[in-house]
């Protein structure tokens, strides 16, 4: 197993099933790396451990101020390379697949998204070195989850690294949520229990100053819920995975969060039917990322170039 450092430009994705993990030397990033090495077996062929660095921006000095001292970029690049090498070496000790250290130049979120554009999974910690202790989700993980075009796993700090045998996947009939269900069926291993939950929110919707719409088609939605699951599941071979179905009335955020009690992972579509077209990550998914303290995987609906559908198009909602 290799833990040699490479520049972003000098290391192409040489494997069909690539996992990318973002690291910055923080303990939360180490947790994400440990989660990845524990789960990559039989799911990935290689692991790229990516550290990004950039030159700090300095404001222009005033007329009476002394000249700014030039920053030695090589020091920053060397420090990033050292971090990448150390983390890759740590991962190589237990990883069942080859590990490569990658140093990328640029802001963390764009660098990770670029490094992971050919990956099957991008893994990040919920918070990095720049995160405040009171915040569950940091800016890098938020940006990556919001803009990722590949599945992204957000791993909370101090998560228990264990075999994933209990997975909750939330669907609402949208293309993204069905992509999430398909992803789960490919990720799960024999002995896994997958709980598919659809929360029917019958809260009245304001449609005017004095008018409200009362959703009352829950029976139709429940029938569609089972039909959609049957369609997705029947295309998969029987591999000793248990599928449990849960169609419940309630508020999506709290109901899904409660369903995660005792689970090892939550899987969501990037947007659902309630998403605004300009929001790449739906409000429910965003809330759950900030409040559920188990690994969360966000799965985007892939772009179908044949028909021009964009997963961010409001028509998909």
């Amino acid at each position: 197993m290799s833990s040699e450092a490479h520049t972003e430009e000098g290391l192409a994705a040489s494997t069909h099933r690539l996992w990318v993990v973002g690291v910055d030397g923080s303990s939360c990033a180490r947790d994400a790396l440990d989660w990845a090495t524990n789960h990559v077996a039989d799911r990935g062929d290689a692991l790229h451990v990516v550290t990004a660095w950039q030159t700090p921006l300095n404001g222009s000095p005033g007329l009476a101020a002394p000249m700014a001292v030039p920053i030695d970029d090589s020091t920053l690049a060397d420090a990033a390379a050292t971090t990448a090498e150390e983390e890759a070496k740590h991962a190589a000790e237990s990883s069942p697949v080859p590990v490569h250290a990658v140093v990328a130049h640029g802001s963390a979120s764009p660098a990770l998204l670029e490094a992971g554009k050919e990956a099957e999974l991008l893994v990040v910690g919920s918070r990095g070195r720049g995160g405040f202790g009171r915040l569950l989700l940091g800016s890098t993980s938020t940006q990556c989850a919001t803009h990722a075009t590949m599945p992204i796993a957000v791993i909370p700090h101090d998560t228990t690294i264990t075999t994933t045998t209990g997975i909750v996947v939330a669907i609402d009939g949208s293309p993204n949520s069905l992509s999430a269900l398909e992803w789960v069926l490919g990720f799960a291993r024999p002995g896994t229990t997958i709980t598919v939950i659809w929360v029917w929110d019958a809260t009245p919707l304001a449609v005017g100053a004095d008018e409200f719409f009362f959703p009352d088609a829950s029976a139709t939605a429940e029938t569609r819920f089972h039909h959609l699951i049957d369609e997705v599941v029947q295309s998969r071979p029987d591999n000793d995975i248990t599928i449990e179905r849960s169609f419940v009335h309630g508020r999506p955020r709290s109901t899904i969060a409660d369903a995660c009690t005792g689970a090892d992972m939550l899987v969501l579509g990037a947007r659902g039917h309630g998403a605004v077209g300009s929001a790449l990550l739906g409000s429910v998914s965003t809330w759950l990322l900030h409040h559920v303290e188990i690994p969360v995987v966000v799965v985007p609906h892939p772009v179908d170039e044949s028909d021009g559908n964009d997963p961010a198009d409001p028509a998909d909602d």
Side-chain angles (χ1 to χ4, degrees):
M1 284 176 259
S2 171
S3 60
E4 181 182 356
H6 301 264
T7 62
E8 185 181 25
E9 295 80 6
L11 181 61
S14 58
T15 175
H16 178 63
R17 300 188 305 164
L18 171 66
W19 281 28
V20 171
V21 186
V23 298
D24 61 1
S26 67
S27 57
C28 190
R30 172 63 67 86
D31 290 338
L33 183 59
D34 288 343
W35 184 91
T37 57
N38 189 62
H39 287 80
V40 71
D42 300 325
R43 298 182 176 102
D45 298 325
L47 195 63
H48 286 184
V49 179
V50 180
T51 298
W53 69 277
Q54 63 179 340
T55 304
L57 297 177
N58 290 331
S60 299
L63 293 177
M67 294 183 60
V69 177
I71 297 176
D72 185 359
D73 284 356
S74 64
T75 301
L76 298 172
D78 290 345
T82 297
T83 296
E85 291 169 352
E86 291 177 348
E87 295 302 302
K89 181 178 179 180
H90 167 78
E93 293 175 354
S94 59
S95 175
V97 301
V99 179
H100 301 278
V102 182
V103 180
H105 182 214
S107 181
S109 302
L112 288 174
L113 292 173
E114 176 65 21
K117 66 181 181 181
E118 301 297 332
E120 290 205 345
L121 185 66
L122 173 62
V123 184
V124 298
S126 58
R127 291 187 294 111
R129 285 194 177 278
F132 293 97
R134 66 180 181 275
L135 299 178
L136 183 60
L137 203 66
S139 60
T140 296
S141 49
T142 299
Q143 288 297 314
C144 286
T146 300
H147 297 288
T149 57
M150 74 295 292
I152 175 171
V154 180
I155 312 302
H157 185 37
D158 289 335
T159 190
T160 300
I161 308 298
T162 185
T163 303
T164 297
T165 58
I167 304 175
V168 174
V169 54
I171 72 170
D172 62 1
S174 64
N176 280 7
S177 70
L178 297 181
S179 294
L181 177 56
E182 292 174 350
W183 184 90
V184 167
L185 292 173
F187 179 90
R189 292 297 176 262
T192 300
T193 297
I194 300 173
T195 300
V196 187
I197 182 171
W198 184 325
V199 182
W200 183 257
D201 187 357
T203 303
L205 303 176
V207 294
D210 299 308
E211 298 179 339
F212 293 88
F213 168 68
F214 293 85
D216 58 359
S218 59
T220 301
E222 184 170 6
T223 299
R224 183 165 181 254
F225 167 68
H226 291 291
H227 175 70
L228 289 173
I229 295 176
D230 289 341
E231 281 192 335
V232 174
V233 171
Q234 71 182 4
S235 65
R236 296 280 180 170
D238 183 7
N239 55 356
D240 194 27
I241 293 175
T242 301
I243 306 292
E244 297 183 349
R245 310 181 185 204
S246 179
F247 184 92
V248 295
H249 293 254
R251 304 303 297 269
R253 297 177 180 181
S254 57
T255 304
I256 295 172
D258 290 343
C260 291
T261 302
D264 301 313
M265 178 193 293
L266 169 64
V267 182
L268 307 162
R271 296 185 306 119
H273 276 308
V276 179
S278 60
L280 298 185
L281 195 67
S283 61
V284 172
S285 299
T286 300
W287 187 91
L288 289 167
L289 275 167
H290 282 83
H291 292 83
V292 174
E293 298 187 24
I294 60 174
V296 178
V297 176
V298 179
V299 181
H301 181 59
V303 177
D304 186 347
E305 297 181 354
S306 64
D307 61 15
N309 278 345
D310 187 324
D313 190 331
D316 284 348
D317 288 334

